[in-house]
Amino acid sequence: MQEALDFFRSRQPVNLAVVLTNIVVFIVLSIMGDTEDGYFMVTHGANYAPYVVEYGEYYRLLTCMFMHFGIQHLFNNMLVLIFLGDEVERLGGKLCYLVIYILGGIAGNIVSVVYDLHTGFFSVSAGASGAVFSVIGALLAVVLLNRGKIPRYTKQRMFLMASLSVLQGLTATGVDNCAHIGGLIFGFLLAMLFHGRLTFKTKDSVDNFPHSP
């Protein structure tokens, strides 16, 4: 019990708040109905291109980021986010992390909507995956900008992580790969844009940055 408390106390505040928000939303939706039912999810804020475009329900681009299709979907996303999100928040600061998470996730969902409109095949989409991929893209950018001088993260490791994550989505069924790839690209671009303007550490300061527990 104490180990669990120490673990959560060591987390970055904004990232922890995002993770807890995702969990709370999932619990509430699970009490209300079946989170693996597409109709239930779309009636409670999941992303669905016709509703976004034809009815102007743009809020779905945001609300869907905090909804998950079942406990496994939630667990997979939060497991990645609790660690990588902490790294980005440490390196970029609270505001920068939140912007990368929210805007990157929304951008990924926009790419998903555009793709669905282009193909004419519409599916209900939900999950933090686009935002998580935005975090991965941002961390990749920070590692590249600092020439790999981030504790525990090398260019090779980040490229491998990003590549395997995308590949896993492409080889699985029922995955919104457009949101993944869109989030990854926009997270990378946002981090490149913010570097030197907000609080991303310079190469020298990152060299001595403490390891996370």
Side-chain angles (χ1 to χ4, degrees), residues 125-162:
S125 176
S129 302
V132 172
F133 269 84
S134 179
V135 168
I136 294 174
L139 191 54
L140 175 60
V142 174
V143 170
L144 292 176
L145 287 167
N146 290 282
R147 300 182 181 181
K149 298 296 184 178
I150 306 293
R152 300 186 301 143
Y153 292 93
T154 64
K155 291 182 288 185
Q156 293 80 2
R157 179 177 295 182
M158 286 308 304
F159 273 119
L160 181 61
M161 180 188 300

Side-chain angles (χ1 to χ4, degrees), residues 159-172:
F159 273 119
L160 181 61
M161 180 188 300
S163 299
L164 290 178
S165 298
V166 172
L167 181 61
Q168 181 182 25
L170 292 173
T171 56

Side-chain angles (χ1 to χ4, degrees), residues 26-203:
F26 178 79
I27 292 172
V28 171
L29 289 176
S30 296
I31 294 172
M32 296 172 60
D34 183 4
T35 59
E36 297 189 48
D37 179 72
Y39 180 76
F40 171 79
M41 293 291 278
V42 80
T43 57
H44 288 84
N47 193 17
Y48 188 59
Y51 288 3
V52 173
V53 176
E54 295 178 17
Y55 301 118
E57 297 179 358
Y58 304 113
Y59 66 86
R60 293 179 178 274
L61 299 172
L62 175 64
T63 56
C64 73
M65 293 165 49
F66 297 92
M67 305 172 66
H68 290 84
F69 290 107
I71 187 67
Q72 190 65 44
H73 189 202
L74 174 73
F75 178 79
N76 291 341
N77 280 335
M78 295 304 102
L79 181 63
V80 175
L81 186 62
I82 194 68
F83 294 105
L84 297 190
D86 265 25
E87 295 293 342
V88 174
E89 185 173 341
R90 283 192 185 98
L91 295 169
K94 299 178 179 62
L95 179 59
C96 185
Y97 165 74
L98 191 60
V99 169
I100 287 171
Y101 182 88
I102 297 295
L103 292 189
I106 290 175
N109 292 327
I110 292 174
V111 172
S112 176
V113 168
V114 171
Y115 180 79
D116 281 3
L117 292 173
H118 175 72
T119 61
F121 179 77
F122 305 115
S123 59
V124 179
S125 176
S129 302
V132 172
F133 269 84
S134 179
V135 168
I136 294 174
L139 191 54
L140 175 60
V142 174
V143 170
L144 292 176
L145 287 167
N146 290 282
R147 300 182 181 181
K149 298 296 184 178
I150 306 293
R152 300 186 301 143
Y153 292 93
T154 64
K155 291 182 288 185
Q156 293 80 2
R157 179 177 295 182
M158 286 308 304
F159 273 119
L160 181 61
M161 180 188 300
S163 299
L164 290 178
S165 298
V166 172
L167 181 61
Q168 181 182 25
L170 292 173
T171 56
T173 58
V175 176
D176 191 346
N177 290 296
C178 288
H180 290 186
I181 296 172
L184 181 71
I185 294 172
F186 276 91
F188 184 90
L189 294 176
L190 284 169
M192 296 289 284
L193 177 65
F194 292 153
H195 183 76
R197 297 189 179 186
L198 294 179
T199 56
F200 279 118
K201 303 298 183 291
T202 64
K203 177 181 175 182

